[in-house]
């Protein structure tokens, strides 16, 4: 039985079973940041030239069109602030792209409306067939694996890539960023959501009616074929500018009527339940540790504050039963059926067909070519 | 524990749901045994006066209700027809009311200056209050509540009136006499104001 | 002062939400339960949910969905679609729904309204009239998603519904459905003289201004809209919206003051 041990610099700990500490107790997440990410990212400072090159390319590709890129918008702070920057500071004309998987919170919907109206932009929404995503989510609950938010995440990316490919849009802009996400969820906690072999196998074993419209992508298609053969590139523009989460939030609150979320991932009711309750209580994986660790490393949160916050549960014990009931009811399950899923033995991604080897190979290649820093482990 | 009288009239599940989502223990009272451990009561009501009174009188709940409210001072909240039932009688019907609050129910005026007013009074309307009552704490009176009725309660004592609304004329939309409250509107269907009112009642 | 109700209208087809244009050409809008939950959080005045296939296909309303929608609604909910008997209406009311909207069943037999008023009460009955304008005959009434015409003029049916004891009338313009070109104000003006119970108009609203025009023309009425609260922009992107209380209050105050007449 391993003792619980926590990093001396961030707050990742042995609930990440592959964590590794050096002789001063600093974990490998921190070391990856120091050695691989920080030198290139430079906290978004001094990267104006790189940014200008990308922006020029986007403008050129979009000349004469109604919009020059699509921007994936969840209503969360990252994509909202990015939308503001891209429109007001970089002079781009994005089509705001939102994927509705049936779990939008009122705050998310409201924030999307305010940003789209405030910036005078066009919105495009793709609504995933609810019956299908419901079936997928039920299958994931029955599979016993921890990464049960894959149906939503996979759909977001697949839909965006498909839309770009179908409409010959060369540039996709997303809010992924090192400032708040330099430490990533361990694969053990959240396996690659784009692994379609895993998704299909889980659905084959635990799903029901065949999926007809649910959008499925695969890693080779969107990481190799689209960028290298079709010239469709993904840009994480927040990495090229200083990005402080709190001041970005306050700015949007003051200028666009943005409404703060009570917790992270509150944009999706499902994700909130999943990360605050299901993942913590069933598996002992608390994603706040990952989020806070990123903020600690990038100087936006102190370790003391993080530790203090981690002392209380991620969910409200007085009302979580209401969330539990809502999730069950929406997925056509009784409370008892969802509880049975909760009590299933914990499985891992290795228990189902997967393309992990391909991802490992790919990450090595991309790291070698300098096209990706760090990577999920 | 709040007891919501379930005598075959009114949206009992809406009350129970509103209480449940706000952490207030509540249950339906459909037979005399269900009064067990109940410390406050809700009398829902919808439809016609006689129909509601008859159903209440035949439900087996009436005797204990009278005792709890009049002898033991159990707080009671009557809604819509439930409010009309608190009085002596209603011009809508022939049966006697409960007589918990002194007054009668009359139809809202239909004609104003030769124009025919639409009845029932249906929709959101604001409330004005003559003085503070704990029941109104934290409530946005301008936003008001949802109304759906053609009759209104006329209390004998004006100091029973704790809230008014205006439709064609001013009428008492909220009354109180000691432990008994009556509301013309539907708190169980009035969003956050309604929930606040119900939870305020639970806290008295 | 009684405020005009501003009511989102959601259409159900195969347990999912859709939005139509002139009663055809549907676009998928998503999960009804999440939509109702969001509308509840946006504090809408009331909600109208209509199953557009149940009557035509002769199937029962989906009680399981209705119950879950009622569970999420802390404001009045009106359900319509496939209701033909008193027993069905009673069951729906017991699930926590305030009103039932009925069209073909009461047009084929108006006596049903009286029967319903004896059990669930007048206040819970909404008589629905789907209307289409014809060049020579004025407004005509249709059922079965606008496919079958019913005898009797618009005015005839308004009076009949009122006489038989309906609590509310819903007038739905097929021509304006999903077109977002404003309410049919001629239709609105035409009905004003004859209506003595609460009425709701549906079909054509594209902005709060259109709702304002309706209020200015009729006074206090239910202003229902589908597309307006569910789509955004030129790509008809699905996004649920609804005015804030302040926006609603100002609109209503402003436009009611311009209405000449009584409510």
């Amino acid at each position: 039985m391993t003792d619980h041990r926590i990093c001396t610099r961030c707050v990742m700990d042995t609930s990440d079973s592959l964590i590794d500490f050096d002789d001063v107790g600093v974990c490998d997440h921190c070391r990856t940041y120091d050695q691989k990410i920080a030198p290139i990212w430079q906290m978004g400072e001094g990267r104006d030239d790189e940014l200008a090159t990308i922006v020029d390319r986007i403008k050129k590709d979009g000349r004469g069109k109604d919009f020059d890129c699509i921007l994936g918008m969840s209503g969360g702070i990252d994509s909202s602030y990015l939308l503001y920057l891209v429109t007001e500071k970089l002079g781009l004309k994005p089509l705001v792209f939102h994927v509705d998987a049936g779990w939008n919170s009122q705050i998310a919907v409201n924030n999307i409306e305010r940003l789209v109206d405030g910036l005078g932009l066009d919105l495009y929404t793709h609504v995933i067939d609810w019956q299908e995503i419901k079936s997928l989510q039920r299958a994931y609950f029955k599979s016993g694996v921890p990464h049960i938010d894959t149906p939503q995440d996979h759909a977001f990316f697949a839909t965006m890539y498909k839309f770009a490919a179908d409409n010959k849009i060369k540039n996709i802009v997303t809010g992924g960023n090192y400032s708040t996400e330099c430490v990533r969820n361990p694969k053990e906690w959240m396996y690659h959501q784009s692994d379609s072999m895993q998704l299909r196998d889980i659905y084959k074993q635990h799903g029901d009616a065949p999926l007809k419209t649910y959008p499925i992508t695969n890693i080779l298609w969107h990481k190799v074929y689209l960028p290298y053969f079709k010239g469709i590139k993904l840009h994480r523009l927040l990495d090229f500018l200083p990005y402080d989460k709190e001041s970005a939030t306050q700015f949007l609150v003051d200028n666009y009527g943005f409404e703060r979320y009570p917790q992270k991932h509150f944009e999706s009711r499902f994700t909130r339940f999943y990360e605050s309750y299901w993942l913590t209580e069933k598996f002992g994986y608390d994603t706040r540790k990952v989020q806070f660790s990123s903020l600690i490393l990038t100087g936006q949160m102190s370790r003391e504050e993080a530790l203090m916050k981690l002392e209380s549960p991620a969910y409200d014990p007085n009302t979580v039963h209401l969330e539990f009931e809502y999730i069950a009811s929406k997925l056509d399950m009784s409370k008892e059926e969802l509880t049975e899923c909760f009590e299933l033995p914990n499985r891992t991604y290795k228990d189902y067909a997967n393309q992990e080897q391909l991802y490992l190979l790919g990450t090595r290649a991309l790291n070698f070519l300098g096209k990706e820093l760090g990577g999920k482990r | 524990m709040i007891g919501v009288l379930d005598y075959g009239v009114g949206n009992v599940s809406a009350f129970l749901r509103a209480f449940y989502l706000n952490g207030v223990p509540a249950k339906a009272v459909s037979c005399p045994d269900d009064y067990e451990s109940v410390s406050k009561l809700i009398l829902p009501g919808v439809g016609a006066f006689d129909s509601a009174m008859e159903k209440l009188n035949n439900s087996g709940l009436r005797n204990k209700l009278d005792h709890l409210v009049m002898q033991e001072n159990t707080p009671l909240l009557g809604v819509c027809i439930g409010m009309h039932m608190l009085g002596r009688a209603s011009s809508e019907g022939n049966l006697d009311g409960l007589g918990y609050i002194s007054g009668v129910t009359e139809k809202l005026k239909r004609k104003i200056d030769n124009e025919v007013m639409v009845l029932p009074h249906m929709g959101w309307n604001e409330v004005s209050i003559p003085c503070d009552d704990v029941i109104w704490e934290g409530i946005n009176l301008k936003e008001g509540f949802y109304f759906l009725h053609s009759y209104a309660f006329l209390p004998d004592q004006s100091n029973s009136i704790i809230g008014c609304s205006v439709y064609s004329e001013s009428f008492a939309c909220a009354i109180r006499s000691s432990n008994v409250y009556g509301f013309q509107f539907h708190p169980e269907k009035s969003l956050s104001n309604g929930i606040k009112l119900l939870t305020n009642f639970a806290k008295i | 002062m009684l405020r005009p109700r501003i009511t989102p209208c959601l259409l159900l087809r195969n347990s999912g939400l859709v939005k139509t244009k002139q009663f055809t050409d549907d676009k998928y809008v998503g999960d009804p339960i999440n939509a109702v939950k969001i509308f509840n959080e946006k504090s809408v005045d009331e909600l109208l949910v209509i199953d557009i296939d149940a009557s035509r296909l002769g199937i029962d309303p989906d009680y399981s969905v209705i119950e879950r929608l009622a569970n999420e609604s802390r404001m009045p909910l009106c359900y319509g679609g496939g209701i033909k008997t008193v027993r069905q209406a009673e069951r729906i009311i017991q699930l926590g729904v305030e009103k039932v909207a009925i069209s073909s069943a009461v047009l084929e037999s108006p006596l049903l309204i009286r029967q319903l008023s004896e059990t669930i009460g007048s206040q819970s009955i909404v008589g629905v009239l789907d209307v289409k304008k014809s060049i020579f005959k004025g407004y005509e009434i249709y059922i079965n998603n606008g496919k079958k015409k019913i005898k009797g003029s618009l005015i005839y049916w308004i009076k009949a519904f009122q006489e038989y004891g309906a609590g509310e009338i819903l007038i739905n313009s097929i021509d304006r459905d999903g077109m977002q070109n404003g309410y049919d104000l001629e239709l609105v003006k035409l009905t004003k003289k004859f209506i003595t119970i609460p009425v709701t108009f549906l079909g054509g609203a594209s902005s709060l201004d259109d709702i304002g025009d309706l209020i200015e023309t009729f006074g206090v009425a239910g202003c229902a809209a589908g597309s307006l609260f569910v789509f955004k922009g030129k790509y008809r992107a699905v996004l649920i919206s609804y005015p804030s209380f302040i926006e609603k209050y100002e609109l209503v105050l402003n436009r009611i003051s311009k209405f000449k007449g009584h409510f």
Side-chain angles (χ1 to χ4, degrees), chain C residues 12-29:
Chain C
L12 275 176
R13 164 162 277 166
N14 295 329
S15 311
L17 292 180
V18 296
K19 192 59 201 78
T20 50
K21 265 188 180 175
Q22 294 183 328
F23 279 33
T24 62
D25 186 25
D26 34 316
K27 182 165 168 154
Y28 182 66
V29 167

mmCIF file with all atom_site columns, all heavy atoms in Angstrom, chain C residues 12-29:
data_model
loop_
_atom_site.group_PDB
_atom_site.id
_atom_site.type_symbol
_atom_site.label_atom_id
_atom_site.label_alt_id
_atom_site.label_comp_id
_atom_site.label_asym_id
_atom_site.label_entity_id
_atom_site.label_seq_id
_atom_site.pdbx_PDB_ins_code
_atom_site.Cartn_x
_atom_site.Cartn_y
_atom_site.Cartn_z
_atom_site.occupancy
_atom_site.B_iso_or_equiv
_atom_site.pdbx_formal_charge
_atom_site.auth_seq_id
_atom_site.auth_comp_id
_atom_site.auth_asym_id
_atom_site.auth_atom_id
_atom_site.pdbx_PDB_model_num
ATOM 1   N N   . LEU C 1 12 ? -42.475 19.257 -29.902 1.00 0.00 ? 12 LEU C N   1
ATOM 2   C CA  . LEU C 1 12 ? -41.887 17.936 -29.697 1.00 0.00 ? 12 LEU C CA  1
ATOM 3   C C   . LEU C 1 12 ? -42.176 17.031 -30.881 1.00 0.00 ? 12 LEU C C   1
ATOM 4   O O   . LEU C 1 12 ? -43.313 16.973 -31.339 1.00 0.00 ? 12 LEU C O   1
ATOM 5   C CB  . LEU C 1 12 ? -42.548 17.270 -28.474 1.00 0.00 ? 12 LEU C CB  1
ATOM 6   C CG  . LEU C 1 12 ? -42.050 17.558 -27.076 1.00 0.00 ? 12 LEU C CG  1
ATOM 7   C CD1 . LEU C 1 12 ? -42.942 16.840 -26.071 1.00 0.00 ? 12 LEU C CD1 1
ATOM 8   C CD2 . LEU C 1 12 ? -40.618 17.065 -26.912 1.00 0.00 ? 12 LEU C CD2 1
ATOM 9   N N   . ARG C 1 13 ? -41.140 16.319 -31.318 1.00 0.00 ? 13 ARG C N   1
ATOM 10  C CA  . ARG C 1 13 ? -41.348 15.307 -32.367 1.00 0.00 ? 13 ARG C CA  1
ATOM 11  C C   . ARG C 1 13 ? -40.391 14.188 -32.047 1.00 0.00 ? 13 ARG C C   1
ATOM 12  O O   . ARG C 1 13 ? -39.187 14.435 -31.915 1.00 0.00 ? 13 ARG C O   1
ATOM 13  C CB  . ARG C 1 13 ? -41.066 15.922 -33.732 1.00 0.00 ? 13 ARG C CB  1
ATOM 14  C CG  . ARG C 1 13 ? -40.859 14.920 -34.862 1.00 0.00 ? 13 ARG C CG  1
ATOM 15  C CD  . ARG C 1 13 ? -41.021 15.560 -36.221 1.00 0.00 ? 13 ARG C CD  1
ATOM 16  N NE  . ARG C 1 13 ? -42.437 15.622 -36.573 1.00 0.00 ? 13 ARG C NE  1
ATOM 17  C CZ  . ARG C 1 13 ? -42.932 16.359 -37.565 1.00 0.00 ? 13 ARG C CZ  1
ATOM 18  N NH1 . ARG C 1 13 ? -42.131 17.111 -38.290 1.00 0.00 ? 13 ARG C NH1 1
ATOM 19  N NH2 . ARG C 1 13 ? -44.209 16.352 -37.819 1.00 0.00 ? 13 ARG C NH2 1
ATOM 20  N N   . ASN C 1 14 ? -40.886 12.944 -31.892 1.00 0.00 ? 14 ASN C N   1
ATOM 21  C CA  . ASN C 1 14 ? -40.017 11.807 -31.528 1.00 0.00 ? 14 ASN C CA  1
ATOM 22  C C   . ASN C 1 14 ? -39.187 12.096 -30.291 1.00 0.00 ? 14 ASN C C   1
ATOM 23  O O   . ASN C 1 14 ? -37.986 11.833 -30.278 1.00 0.00 ? 14 ASN C O   1
ATOM 24  C CB  . ASN C 1 14 ? -39.033 11.463 -32.654 1.00 0.00 ? 14 ASN C CB  1
ATOM 25  C CG  . ASN C 1 14 ? -39.741 10.968 -33.891 1.00 0.00 ? 14 ASN C CG  1
ATOM 26  O OD1 . ASN C 1 14 ? -40.797 10.363 -33.785 1.00 0.00 ? 14 ASN C OD1 1
ATOM 27  N ND2 . ASN C 1 14 ? -39.162 11.232 -35.042 1.00 0.00 ? 14 ASN C ND2 1
ATOM 28  N N   . SER C 1 15 ? -39.812 12.666 -29.283 1.00 0.00 ? 15 SER C N   1
ATOM 29  C CA  . SER C 1 15 ? -39.147 12.978 -28.008 1.00 0.00 ? 15 SER C CA  1
ATOM 30  C C   . SER C 1 15 ? -38.043 14.009 -28.097 1.00 0.00 ? 15 SER C C   1
ATOM 31  O O   . SER C 1 15 ? -37.313 14.231 -27.147 1.00 0.00 ? 15 SER C O   1
ATOM 32  C CB  . SER C 1 15 ? -38.509 11.726 -27.375 1.00 0.00 ? 15 SER C CB  1
ATOM 33  O OG  . SER C 1 15 ? -39.409 10.690 -27.342 1.00 0.00 ? 15 SER C OG  1
ATOM 34  N N   . GLY C 1 16 ? -37.893 14.645 -29.277 1.00 0.00 ? 16 GLY C N   1
ATOM 35  C CA  . GLY C 1 16 ? -36.873 15.689 -29.386 1.00 0.00 ? 16 GLY C CA  1
ATOM 36  C C   . GLY C 1 16 ? -37.550 16.998 -29.753 1.00 0.00 ? 16 GLY C C   1
ATOM 37  O O   . GLY C 1 16 ? -38.682 17.007 -30.255 1.00 0.00 ? 16 GLY C O   1
ATOM 38  N N   . LEU C 1 17 ? -36.879 18.111 -29.540 1.00 0.00 ? 17 LEU C N   1
ATOM 39  C CA  . LEU C 1 17 ? -37.454 19.399 -29.913 1.00 0.00 ? 17 LEU C CA  1
ATOM 40  C C   . LEU C 1 17 ? -37.133 19.703 -31.363 1.00 0.00 ? 17 LEU C C   1
ATOM 41  O O   . LEU C 1 17 ? -36.018 19.453 -31.830 1.00 0.00 ? 17 LEU C O   1
ATOM 42  C CB  . LEU C 1 17 ? -36.865 20.514 -29.045 1.00 0.00 ? 17 LEU C CB  1
ATOM 43  C CG  . LEU C 1 17 ? -37.232 20.495 -27.577 1.00 0.00 ? 17 LEU C CG  1
ATOM 44  C CD1 . LEU C 1 17 ? -36.565 21.666 -26.868 1.00 0.00 ? 17 LEU C CD1 1
ATOM 45  C CD2 . LEU C 1 17 ? -38.739 20.579 -27.378 1.00 0.00 ? 17 LEU C CD2 1
ATOM 46  N N   . VAL C 1 18 ? -38.123 20.254 -32.059 1.00 0.00 ? 18 VAL C N   1
ATOM 47  C CA  . VAL C 1 18 ? -37.881 20.676 -33.437 1.00 0.00 ? 18 VAL C CA  1
ATOM 48  C C   . VAL C 1 18 ? -38.486 22.058 -33.607 1.00 0.00 ? 18 VAL C C   1
ATOM 49  O O   . VAL C 1 18 ? -39.277 22.515 -32.779 1.00 0.00 ? 18 VAL C O   1
ATOM 50  C CB  . VAL C 1 18 ? -38.537 19.718 -34.469 1.00 0.00 ? 18 VAL C CB  1
ATOM 51  C CG1 . VAL C 1 18 ? -37.927 18.335 -34.402 1.00 0.00 ? 18 VAL C CG1 1
ATOM 52  C CG2 . VAL C 1 18 ? -40.042 19.650 -34.290 1.00 0.00 ? 18 VAL C CG2 1
ATOM 53  N N   . LYS C 1 19 ? -38.118 22.702 -34.699 1.00 0.00 ? 19 LYS C N   1
ATOM 54  C CA  . LYS C 1 19 ? -38.767 23.975 -35.017 1.00 0.00 ? 19 LYS C CA  1
ATOM 55  C C   . LYS C 1 19 ? -39.115 23.910 -36.489 1.00 0.00 ? 19 LYS C C   1
ATOM 56  O O   . LYS C 1 19 ? -38.313 23.423 -37.292 1.00 0.00 ? 19 LYS C O   1
ATOM 57  C CB  . LYS C 1 19 ? -37.817 25.134 -34.700 1.00 0.00 ? 19 LYS C CB  1
ATOM 58  C CG  . LYS C 1 19 ? -38.500 26.488 -34.725 1.00 0.00 ? 19 LYS C CG  1
ATOM 59  C CD  . LYS C 1 19 ? -39.644 26.595 -33.748 1.00 0.00 ? 19 LYS C CD  1
ATOM 60  C CE  . LYS C 1 19 ? -40.624 27.693 -34.107 1.00 0.00 ? 19 LYS C CE  1
ATOM 61  N NZ  . LYS C 1 19 ? -41.560 27.391 -35.180 1.00 0.00 ? 19 LYS C NZ  1
ATOM 62  N N   . THR C 1 20 ? -40.327 24.380 -36.808 1.00 0.00 ? 20 THR C N   1
ATOM 63  C CA  . THR C 1 20 ? -40.818 24.235 -38.179 1.00 0.00 ? 20 THR C CA  1
ATOM 64  C C   . THR C 1 20 ? -40.897 25.592 -38.879 1.00 0.00 ? 20 THR C C   1
ATOM 65  O O   . THR C 1 20 ? -40.746 26.649 -38.251 1.00 0.00 ? 20 THR C O   1
ATOM 66  C CB  . THR C 1 20 ? -42.237 23.636 -38.163 1.00 0.00 ? 20 THR C CB  1
ATOM 67  O OG1 . THR C 1 20 ? -43.022 24.397 -37.240 1.00 0.00 ? 20 THR C OG1 1
ATOM 68  C CG2 . THR C 1 20 ? -42.224 22.198 -37.716 1.00 0.00 ? 20 THR C CG2 1
ATOM 69  N N   . LYS C 1 21 ? -41.156 25.508 -40.201 1.00 0.00 ? 21 LYS C N   1
ATOM 70  C CA  . LYS C 1 21 ? -41.440 26.728 -40.958 1.00 0.00 ? 21 LYS C CA  1
ATOM 71  C C   . LYS C 1 21 ? -42.745 26.441 -41.689 1.00 0.00 ? 21 LYS C C   1
ATOM 72  O O   . LYS C 1 21 ? -42.804 25.516 -42.503 1.00 0.00 ? 21 LYS C O   1
ATOM 73  C CB  . LYS C 1 21 ? -40.343 26.971 -41.997 1.00 0.00 ? 21 LYS C CB  1
ATOM 74  C CG  . LYS C 1 21 ? -39.266 27.899 -41.545 1.00 0.00 ? 21 LYS C CG  1
ATOM 75  C CD  . LYS C 1 21 ? -38.319 28.254 -42.675 1.00 0.00 ? 21 LYS C CD  1
ATOM 76  C CE  . LYS C 1 21 ? -37.243 29.189 -42.156 1.00 0.00 ? 21 LYS C CE  1
ATOM 77  N NZ  . LYS C 1 21 ? -36.226 29.506 -43.119 1.00 0.00 ? 21 LYS C NZ  1
ATOM 78  N N   . GLN C 1 22 ? -43.780 27.215 -41.360 1.00 0.00 ? 22 GLN C N   1
ATOM 79  C CA  . GLN C 1 22 ? -45.111 26.978 -41.951 1.00 0.00 ? 22 GLN C CA  1
ATOM 80  C C   . GLN C 1 22 ? -45.515 25.507 -41.794 1.00 0.00 ? 22 GLN C C   1
ATOM 81  O O   . GLN C 1 22 ? -46.067 24.895 -42.699 1.00 0.00 ? 22 GLN C O   1
ATOM 82  C CB  . GLN C 1 22 ? -45.136 27.404 -43.421 1.00 0.00 ? 22 GLN C CB  1
ATOM 83  C CG  . GLN C 1 22 ? -44.950 28.908 -43.533 1.00 0.00 ? 22 GLN C CG  1
ATOM 84  C CD  . GLN C 1 22 ? -45.024 29.439 -44.941 1.00 0.00 ? 22 GLN C CD  1
ATOM 85  O OE1 . GLN C 1 22 ? -44.638 28.767 -45.893 1.00 0.00 ? 22 GLN C OE1 1
ATOM 86  N NE2 . GLN C 1 22 ? -45.528 30.645 -45.075 1.00 0.00 ? 22 GLN C NE2 1
ATOM 87  N N   . PHE C 1 23 ? -45.222 25.003 -40.618 1.00 0.00 ? 23 PHE C N   1
ATOM 88  C CA  . PHE C 1 23 ? -45.608 23.654 -40.217 1.00 0.00 ? 23 PHE C CA  1
ATOM 89  C C   . PHE C 1 23 ? -44.875 22.542 -40.964 1.00 0.00 ? 23 PHE C C   1
ATOM 90  O O   . PHE C 1 23 ? -45.249 21.379 -40.886 1.00 0.00 ? 23 PHE C O   1
ATOM 91  C CB  . PHE C 1 23 ? -47.136 23.440 -40.360 1.00 0.00 ? 23 PHE C CB  1
ATOM 92  C CG  . PHE C 1 23 ? -47.924 24.006 -39.208 1.00 0.00 ? 23 PHE C CG  1
ATOM 93  C CD1 . PHE C 1 23 ? -47.519 25.150 -38.541 1.00 0.00 ? 23 PHE C CD1 1
ATOM 94  C CD2 . PHE C 1 23 ? -49.094 23.385 -38.771 1.00 0.00 ? 23 PHE C CD2 1
ATOM 95  C CE1 . PHE C 1 23 ? -48.225 25.672 -37.475 1.00 0.00 ? 23 PHE C CE1 1
ATOM 96  C CE2 . PHE C 1 23 ? -49.833 23.899 -37.700 1.00 0.00 ? 23 PHE C CE2 1
ATOM 97  C CZ  . PHE C 1 23 ? -49.405 25.034 -37.056 1.00 0.00 ? 23 PHE C CZ  1
ATOM 98  N N   . THR C 1 24 ? -43.812 22.869 -41.715 1.00 0.00 ? 24 THR C N   1
ATOM 99  C CA  . THR C 1 24 ? -42.993 21.806 -42.324 1.00 0.00 ? 24 THR C CA  1
ATOM 100 C C   . THR C 1 24 ? -41.523 22.173 -42.120 1.00 0.00 ? 24 THR C C   1
ATOM 101 O O   . THR C 1 24 ? -41.225 23.096 -41.372 1.00 0.00 ? 24 THR C O   1
ATOM 102 C CB  . THR C 1 24 ? -43.221 21.670 -43.842 1.00 0.00 ? 24 THR C CB  1
ATOM 103 O OG1 . THR C 1 24 ? -42.827 22.893 -44.465 1.00 0.00 ? 24 THR C OG1 1
ATOM 104 C CG2 . THR C 1 24 ? -44.659 21.361 -44.185 1.00 0.00 ? 24 THR C CG2 1
ATOM 105 N N   . ASP C 1 25 ? -40.656 21.470 -42.820 1.00 0.00 ? 25 ASP C N   1
ATOM 106 C CA  . ASP C 1 25 ? -39.238 21.835 -42.852 1.00 0.00 ? 25 ASP C CA  1
ATOM 107 C C   . ASP C 1 25 ? -38.640 21.910 -41.441 1.00 0.00 ? 25 ASP C C   1
ATOM 108 O O   . ASP C 1 25 ? -38.126 22.940 -41.014 1.00 0.00 ? 25 ASP C O   1
ATOM 109 C CB  . ASP C 1 25 ? -39.128 23.205 -43.552 1.00 0.00 ? 25 ASP C CB  1
ATOM 110 C CG  . ASP C 1 25 ? -37.688 23.623 -43.781 1.00 0.00 ? 25 ASP C CG  1
ATOM 111 O OD1 . ASP C 1 25 ? -36.816 22.732 -43.852 1.00 0.00 ? 25 ASP C OD1 1
ATOM 112 O OD2 . ASP C 1 25 ? -37.431 24.834 -43.862 1.00 0.00 ? 25 ASP C OD2 1
ATOM 113 N N   . ASP C 1 26 ? -38.738 20.797 -40.694 1.00 0.00 ? 26 ASP C N   1
ATOM 114 C CA  . ASP C 1 26 ? -38.250 20.952 -39.328 1.00 0.00 ? 26 ASP C CA  1
ATOM 115 C C   . ASP C 1 26 ? -36.757 20.849 -39.152 1.00 0.00 ? 26 ASP C C   1
ATOM 116 O O   . ASP C 1 26 ? -36.071 20.133 -39.856 1.00 0.00 ? 26 ASP C O   1
ATOM 117 C CB  . ASP C 1 26 ? -38.953 20.056 -38.306 1.00 0.00 ? 26 ASP C CB  1
ATOM 118 C CG  . ASP C 1 26 ? -39.381 18.721 -38.774 1.00 0.00 ? 26 ASP C CG  1
ATOM 119 O OD1 . ASP C 1 26 ? -39.928 18.612 -39.870 1.00 0.00 ? 26 ASP C OD1 1
ATOM 120 O OD2 . ASP C 1 26 ? -39.190 17.761 -37.997 1.00 0.00 ? 26 ASP C OD2 1
ATOM 121 N N   . LYS C 1 27 ? -36.311 21.610 -38.164 1.00 0.00 ? 27 LYS C N   1
ATOM 122 C CA  . LYS C 1 27 ? -34.906 21.632 -37.798 1.00 0.00 ? 27 LYS C CA  1
ATOM 123 C C   . LYS C 1 27 ? -34.806 21.114 -36.361 1.00 0.00 ? 27 LYS C C   1
ATOM 124 O O   . LYS C 1 27 ? -35.582 21.509 -35.499 1.00 0.00 ? 27 LYS C O   1
ATOM 125 C CB  . LYS C 1 27 ? -34.390 23.072 -37.873 1.00 0.00 ? 27 LYS C CB  1
ATOM 126 C CG  . LYS C 1 27 ? -32.925 23.183 -37.548 1.00 0.00 ? 27 LYS C CG  1
ATOM 127 C CD  . LYS C 1 27 ? -32.339 24.517 -37.962 1.00 0.00 ? 27 LYS C CD  1
ATOM 128 C CE  . LYS C 1 27 ? -30.956 24.660 -37.329 1.00 0.00 ? 27 LYS C CE  1
ATOM 129 N NZ  . LYS C 1 27 ? -30.052 25.519 -38.019 1.00 0.00 ? 27 LYS C NZ  1
ATOM 130 N N   . TYR C 1 28 ? -33.836 20.217 -36.132 1.00 0.00 ? 28 TYR C N   1
ATOM 131 C CA  . TYR C 1 28 ? -33.685 19.610 -34.816 1.00 0.00 ? 28 TYR C CA  1
ATOM 132 C C   . TYR C 1 28 ? -33.111 20.607 -33.821 1.00 0.00 ? 28 TYR C C   1
ATOM 133 O O   . TYR C 1 28 ? -32.107 21.274 -34.088 1.00 0.00 ? 28 TYR C O   1
ATOM 134 C CB  . TYR C 1 28 ? -32.768 18.383 -34.924 1.00 0.00 ? 28 TYR C CB  1
ATOM 135 C CG  . TYR C 1 28 ? -32.579 17.631 -33.629 1.00 0.00 ? 28 TYR C CG  1
ATOM 136 C CD1 . TYR C 1 28 ? -33.642 16.967 -33.024 1.00 0.00 ? 28 TYR C CD1 1
ATOM 137 C CD2 . TYR C 1 28 ? -31.335 17.582 -32.997 1.00 0.00 ? 28 TYR C CD2 1
ATOM 138 C CE1 . TYR C 1 28 ? -33.475 16.281 -31.831 1.00 0.00 ? 28 TYR C CE1 1
ATOM 139 C CE2 . TYR C 1 28 ? -31.156 16.890 -31.809 1.00 0.00 ? 28 TYR C CE2 1
ATOM 140 C CZ  . TYR C 1 28 ? -32.236 16.247 -31.232 1.00 0.00 ? 28 TYR C CZ  1
ATOM 141 O OH  . TYR C 1 28 ? -32.072 15.560 -30.046 1.00 0.00 ? 28 TYR C OH  1
ATOM 142 N N   . VAL C 1 29 ? -33.745 20.703 -32.656 1.00 0.00 ? 29 VAL C N   1
ATOM 143 C CA  . VAL C 1 29 ? -33.326 21.697 -31.671 1.00 0.00 ? 29 VAL C CA  1
ATOM 144 C C   . VAL C 1 29 ? -32.688 21.070 -30.429 1.00 0.00 ? 29 VAL C C   1
ATOM 145 O O   . VAL C 1 29 ? -31.934 21.712 -29.717 1.00 0.00 ? 29 VAL C O   1
ATOM 146 C CB  . VAL C 1 29 ? -34.544 22.591 -31.301 1.00 0.00 ? 29 VAL C CB  1
ATOM 147 C CG1 . VAL C 1 29 ? -34.301 23.448 -30.073 1.00 0.00 ? 29 VAL C CG1 1
ATOM 148 C CG2 . VAL C 1 29 ? -34.935 23.451 -32.485 1.00 0.00 ? 29 VAL C CG2 1
#
